[in-house]
Amino acid sequence: MLKNLNSKHIQRFSYKYLPQFPISPNSPKLGFSRSQIANYRSNFPTTIMSSSKTIVLRSSDGETFEVDEAVAVESQTIKHMIEDGCADTSIPLPNVTSKILSKVIEYCKKHVETPNADEKVAEEDLKSFDADFVKVDQSTLFDLILAANYLNIKSLLDLTCQTVADMIKGKTPEEIRKTFNIKNDFTPEEEEEVRRENAWAFE
Amino acid sequence: MSGTRMGDRLSSLPDDLIHKILSFVCIKHAVQTSVLSPRWRFIWTSMPYLNFLSEDFPSLPHFAKAVTNVLSRRNDQIEVASLTLSLHGRVSVAFVKRILNYAFSHNVQHMTVTCLIEKKIELPLSLFCSRSLKHLTLVGSVDRSVASTWELPALTTLHLGYVTLYKDEDDDDDDEDEYEDEDDEDNNIFSKCPNMKSLTLDGCKIMGSNGLSICHPQLSNLTIENGYWGLNFFYVVVPQLKNLTIVNCDWVHLSAPDLTSFKYRSGYSLKFYTDSLPSLEEVDLCIRKPCKTEISAIVGILQQFHRVKYLTVNLETIEVLCSSDELISNQPSPFANLRSLKIHPVDIQLAGQAQKKVVVSNEVKSYLLGGSPSASLTLVTREVINYIMKDLIIICHASYILL
């Protein structure tokens, strides 16, 4: 129903179709911040109304992201908020920065879209997406773990924790300390005692 | 990827996230973290996940020593949320029993026990007795006394892989007087798991019995694959069943009036107790090696699916229907709600018929699609598959040469 389109509608719908136009390779695949919308608004015409429900997420630094409800409810936290009726205007996520939130949205979107395709192909596609997704610096990786935990997205939490576990596997304690910058606060006597306590693990 | 500039993010994670990370690491490495720093000293003792995989250890005595140490030094107050046990050699049942009892006494919810050895371990079902266990996966074991049943009141998901159950025939005579109702009470080993929602039986065997019956009031998902059920029958009587998958399992007698999705890859010997399946929406039917003499049975099966919306049938079955049209030539189509029909081949190399072009006869087409004019038909021929396979083989060969 093309009722009275006010500026809010125009803004919402114009960027819904923006992802199809070639933009810079580093921009997120879904979820455009208001500043980006402002840039494109003048260049692209208004478009047809979209019928799927969308949810607005607000990161800790004030950026808003509009996502399909199906993508947003990958997060159990957001799903419960919607069910409890707390999602009329926007959902504030004070623990997640815009950088991390856009990555999380990218992950959720990929995992929601893919099951439509053929089974085997979809599985391989998802696996390689996941492998590339976690090739980030340590700081981002830990932020993703905390975000996945807060937003309660089981598959993302498993993926990121598995990645850190792979960084621990096969390393001696000294190597692990080096990788993660862990300060060894043990006195030599204490360390000796710990090694003796669990001698079987250090054989 | 060293963390020189930002400090120690790993140690600053909350305990439960560190536990989650350590759950992906072998138990030996998890205990080794105790020496990283004072913060890490006792983290492993409060981990609610226990993964004992014997393949991580150089020998079984090492494995046994590790398990004993972990169980004794672990914080006894902490519950065990999940236990994974993988045995790659001959261990004593007493050893396994000790681990299982530790887990049960700590309110375990998820349990996976895998025995990957030639001669299977005897793990009697009575060992698995817990009020808290919700998900159980058991692979590769033997039980010689199925007269005792599983007592798992909280169980919702059960997966049995390559389990051999010996039915004690002598017990049948004694039990007959005790049980007034269902006479297949003896065969019903799942009677004490009232909350079970999903059951998977993969490659299981029942020895010393005529067959098996699965009768369960709550079950909604059932998968049966590659089983050997004895000589005579396999009854599935599950009133609330929604999703059913049967692969390589013949002589099934099925009563599942609420079925919505059905995947069948087996022979033509499928019998239905109920006349119609009103909620059935999706069927994936693949009758292995069908032959002309079985057409009436095949047509009977197809008629059971008259409410289906999405039907997938294998090409071999359609070809058999085409080869003798008498049974279906004047019959109305049983499918009134069909939205999509897919036909795809399963046997790609057919001896002596490789060059024969497949034509679905008009009678068969009208029998299948006549009642649903808006249905879409997708027909995948063997030629197409062969073309795709040829491309894949070329790619594989090319990558071999490059390597």
Side-chain angles (χ1 to χ4, degrees):
Chain A
M1 302 323 120
L2 292 171
K3 301 184 295 188
N4 308 318
L5 288 177
N6 58 25
S7 62
K8 185 170 155 204
H9 287 117
I10 292 170
Q11 164 198 306
R12 201 180 268 212
F13 305 135
S14 61
Y15 80 78
K16 194 143 194 79
Y17 287 81
L18 286 178
Q20 294 171 13
F21 297 101
I23 318 167
S24 82
N26 294 326
S27 64
K29 297 225 170 34
L30 179 75
F32 284 75
S33 61
R34 283 196 185 213
S35 47
Q36 286 169 312
I37 297 166
N39 275 336
Y40 289 110
R41 215 154 104 189
S42 50
N43 295 328
F44 292 96
T46 61
T47 49
I48 315 162
M49 255 171 141
S50 147
S51 56
S52 63
K53 186 148 186 273
T54 56
I55 305 286
V56 176
L57 305 173
R58 184 187 301 274
S59 67
S60 60
D61 41 348
E63 299 250 352
T64 54
F65 297 80
E66 189 157 333
V67 297
D68 285 341
E69 186 173 339
V71 173
V73 295
E74 285 283 288
S75 152
Q76 295 295 312
T77 309
I78 295 179
K79 186 174 176 204
H80 292 319
M81 282 194 207
I82 296 175
E83 282 166 359
D84 292 344
C86 312
D88 343 318
T89 46
S90 62
I91 298 184
L93 301 171
N95 294 350
V96 191
T97 63
S98 56
K99 174 184 170 201
I100 298 299
L101 186 55
S102 66
K103 275 213 75 111
V104 170
I105 290 171
E106 181 190 341
Y107 176 89
C108 292
K109 190 181 185 234
K110 181 75 180 177
H111 278 247
V112 163
E113 282 179 352
T114 304
N116 294 329
D118 180 65
E119 274 181 34
K120 274 247 165 72
V121 170
E123 216 180 293
E124 289 304 315
D125 190 29
L126 264 184
K127 265 193 211 157
S128 70
F129 171 83
D130 284 352
D132 287 335
F133 186 80
V134 287
K135 286 184 182 150
V136 292
D137 58 274
Q138 250 187 53
S139 174
T140 310
L141 187 58
F142 285 112
D143 285 334
L144 282 172
I145 291 181
L146 291 167
N149 187 40
Y150 170 66
L151 293 170
N152 199 348
I153 306 172
K154 182 175 189 301
S155 55
L156 180 57
L157 186 59
D158 283 344
L159 173 65
T160 43
C161 287
Q162 172 83 66
T163 309
V164 176
D166 291 339
M167 287 159 72
I168 293 178
K169 273 183 209 175
K171 290 199 165 85
T172 66
E174 191 47 57
E175 287 163 352
I176 298 176
R177 283 195 203 111
K178 192 149 180 256
T179 309
F180 295 102
N181 207 30
I182 300 176
K183 187 148 176 261
N184 184 0
D185 288 339
F186 279 128
T187 67
E189 295 84 24
E190 280 173 341
E191 185 167 338
E192 186 54 44
E193 192 187 334
V194 175
R195 281 183 188 264
R196 236 181 311 126
E197 264 172 12
N198 301 309
W200 64 271
F202 295 101
E203 273 164 16
Chain B
M1 271 215 243
S2 84
T4 31
R5 284 243 219 100
M6 47 157 214
D8 180 12
R9 296 285 314 263
L10 182 58
S11 306
S12 62
L13 287 177
D15 272 8
D16 57 336
L17 288 179
I18 295 185
H19 289 152
K20 188 115 201 154
I21 294 172
L22 289 182
S23 72
F24 291 106
V25 167
C26 145
I27 189 80
K28 191 169 167 180
H29 274 102
V31 174
Q32 281 181 0
T33 61
S34 59
V35 83
L36 286 175
S37 81
R39 155 126 180 78
W40 286 83
R41 186 167 176 181
F42 296 113
I43 287 187
W44 73 269
T45 63
S46 51
M47 208 166 54
Y49 315 109
L50 289 180
N51 298 331
F52 294 131
L53 309 171
S54 70
E55 54 263 33
D56 289 337
F57 293 85
S59 75
L60 278 181
H62 280 105
F63 176 56
K65 191 174 175 188
V67 170
T68 314
N69 273 296
V70 168
L71 293 184
S72 56
R73 308 204 96 250
R74 190 179 170 272
N75 185 340
D76 218 25
Q77 307 298 321
I78 306 286
E79 295 194 343
V80 176
S82 86
L83 169 72
T84 308
L85 184 58
S86 164
L87 305 166
H88 253 118
R90 289 214 62 81
V91 293
S92 69
V93 177
F95 176 67
V96 178
K97 209 171 169 179
R98 191 155 44 99
I99 304 175
L100 295 181
N101 285 338
Y102 181 90
F104 292 142
S105 61
H106 287 79
N107 294 330
V108 64
Q109 290 186 12
H110 278 254
M111 193 183 274
T112 305
V113 179
T114 313
C115 311
L116 298 165
I117 43 181
E118 273 294 315
K119 237 176 146 204
K120 296 182 180 177
I121 286 187
E122 274 198 42
L123 286 180
L125 288 149
S126 50
L127 265 188
F128 294 92
C129 183
S130 156
R131 304 209 67 83
S132 57
L133 193 57
K134 286 193 186 145
H135 308 268
L136 174 61
T137 302
L138 179 58
V139 177
S141 71
V142 164
D143 183 347
R144 289 191 183 271
S145 54
V146 190
S148 59
T149 58
W150 306 73
E151 258 207 63
L152 298 164
L155 194 69
T156 56
T157 310
L158 178 62
H159 180 125
L160 294 179
Y162 302 101
V163 174
T164 307
L165 303 165
Y166 283 81
K167 183 84 181 59
D168 211 358
E169 286 208 0
D170 299 330
D171 279 350
D172 284 340
D173 304 316
D174 299 331
D175 288 346
E176 248 171 59
D177 301 321
E178 287 179 25
Y179 297 102
E180 307 129 7
D181 33 2
E182 301 170 46
D183 25 301
D184 28 26
E185 179 75 51
D186 324 321
N187 286 330
N188 191 7
I189 51 176
F190 307 116
S191 54
K192 294 237 175 66
C193 308
N195 287 318
M196 195 158 60
K197 291 271 173 327
S198 296
L199 173 63
T200 306
L201 299 172
D202 182 4
C204 297
K205 290 185 196 171
I206 300 244
M207 313 290 279
S209 157
N210 289 334
L212 177 69
S213 55
I214 295 183
C215 315
H216 197 280
Q218 297 287 342
L219 203 59
S220 51
N221 304 311
L222 178 61
T223 303
I224 303 164
E225 294 186 69
N226 305 319
Y228 174 75
W229 306 112
L231 303 168
N232 286 357
F233 62 81
F234 186 11
Y235 288 133
V236 176
V237 179
V238 184
Q240 300 225 19
L241 193 62
K242 299 269 177 319
N243 304 308
L244 176 61
T245 302
I246 298 181
V247 176
N248 287 336
C249 185
D250 289 333
W251 302 108
V252 178
H253 298 245
L254 182 60
S255 162
D258 246 359
L259 202 60
T260 51
S261 150
F262 186 27
K263 181 170 164 181
Y264 185 78
R265 281 186 185 5
S266 190
Y268 65 92
S269 54
L270 174 63
K271 296 218 184 324
F272 293 89
Y273 275 136
T274 49
D275 273 337
S276 72
L277 298 166
S279 330
L280 193 58
E281 288 196 358
E282 212 181 308
V283 169
D284 186 344
L285 181 72
C286 170
I287 298 187
R288 291 220 186 286
K289 303 202 187 316
C291 58
K292 282 193 188 177
T293 48
E294 297 154 9
I295 288 193
S296 52
I298 295 174
V299 170
I301 294 175
L302 283 174
Q303 280 178 336
Q304 287 285 336
F305 302 145
H306 63 99
R307 304 280 298 222
V308 75
K309 291 184 188 154
Y310 305 99
L311 178 62
T312 307
V313 187
N314 66 322
L315 189 52
E316 290 74 26
T317 309
I318 301 290
E319 284 173 334
V320 162
L321 283 179
C322 291
S323 65
S324 66
D325 293 341
E326 307 95 47
L327 265 179
I328 60 168
S329 38
N330 293 319
Q331 297 243 7
S333 167
F335 308 115
N337 292 338
L338 205 55
R339 287 202 201 146
S340 110
L341 172 65
K342 285 187 197 157
I343 303 175
H344 65 99
V346 167
D347 292 323
I348 302 177
Q349 310 291 341
L350 273 195
Q353 293 184 36
Q355 303 308 319
K356 194 167 152 199
K357 191 105 170 73
V358 166
V359 171
V360 180
S361 72
N362 284 330
E363 284 91 1
V364 173
K365 254 195 201 153
S366 66
Y367 177 73
L368 292 172
L369 295 168
S372 329
S374 59
S376 68
L377 169 65
T378 314
L379 170 60
V380 180
T381 60
R382 295 197 180 88
E383 288 82 15
V384 167
I385 303 276
N386 275 323
Y387 278 135
I388 298 174
M389 293 294 290
K390 276 190 194 131
D391 282 343
L392 280 177
I393 291 169
I394 291 170
I395 293 170
C396 289
H397 281 152
S399 52
Y400 269 131
I401 294 168
L402 285 173
L403 285 172

